Amino acid sequence: MYKGSYSEDGTYTGFYVEGIHENIPQPNIELTEDEWHQALSKNYKVDNGKHTYSSFIQNQEEILSNLRITRNLLLAESDWTQLEDSPLSEDKKDEWKNYRQELRDLTNLDNLTNIIWPLKPL
């Protein structure tokens, strides 16, 4: 189960996965995987306890900077999948390798207004 903690103004302050993270800060809300990916894009906030689209204007540099921060977090969280002693099969390692490359390719997009984050392999 995915969770997002947030501040008084509804800005997301952290993202967590139940069972992996302990002591998840309050307040927080449950998020679907899609909502979790949306929230990472910084175009969403919490309004009255609900995950909500929040339109605001960013220039391309700000969008790219935010994208890199999120991308780097997702890459760091999946580093273990490429280690020699990873418990994954070679096929699964390849799936994760492709996912990680898709994350890296996000910074090469021509249109940063509609970023579609790749989904983690199962």
Side-chain angles (χ1 to χ4, degrees):
M1 168 132 351
Y2 296 96
K3 297 229 175 197
S5 61
Y6 57 94
S7 63
E8 285 183 18
D9 69 356
T11 303
Y12 282 105
T13 57
F15 301 97
Y16 308 90
V17 179
E18 256 184 10
I20 294 177
H21 299 103
E22 296 179 11
N23 303 320
I24 299 172
Q26 296 289 334
N28 66 61
I29 62 168
E30 293 180 11
L31 300 169
T32 66
E33 186 172 356
D34 286 342
E35 289 171 338
W36 189 76
H37 284 286
Q38 290 170 347
L40 290 171
S41 76
K42 304 207 184 273
N43 291 333
Y44 291 79
K45 67 178 190 171
V46 178
D47 187 22
N48 292 319
K50 295 188 182 211
H51 172 77
T52 309
Y53 178 75
S54 172
S55 65
F56 62 96
I57 299 173
Q58 282 186 316
N59 65 38
Q60 292 287 59
E61 288 178 26
E62 291 173 318
I63 293 171
L64 193 55
S65 174
N66 289 332
L67 183 142
R68 283 190 175 116
I69 291 168
T70 302
R71 186 260 333 255
N72 291 345
L73 172 69
L74 294 171
L75 284 170
E77 288 178 350
S78 63
D79 281 347
W80 68 272
T81 66
Q82 301 305 299
L83 298 175
E84 284 186 35
D85 62 350
S86 168
L88 298 174
S89 69
E90 288 303 315
D91 287 343
K92 283 295 178 188
K93 278 187 179 182
D94 284 343
E95 287 179 31
W96 279 95
K97 180 180 176 183
N98 293 335
Y99 163 75
R100 291 167 55 81
Q101 186 58 53
E102 289 175 14
L103 288 172
R104 289 184 192 96
D105 291 344
L106 287 175
T107 55
N108 297 327
L109 295 174
D110 292 330
N111 181 0
L112 296 175
T113 59
N114 190 19
I115 299 167
I116 299 173
W117 290 89
L119 295 178
K120 289 180 184 179
L122 298 176

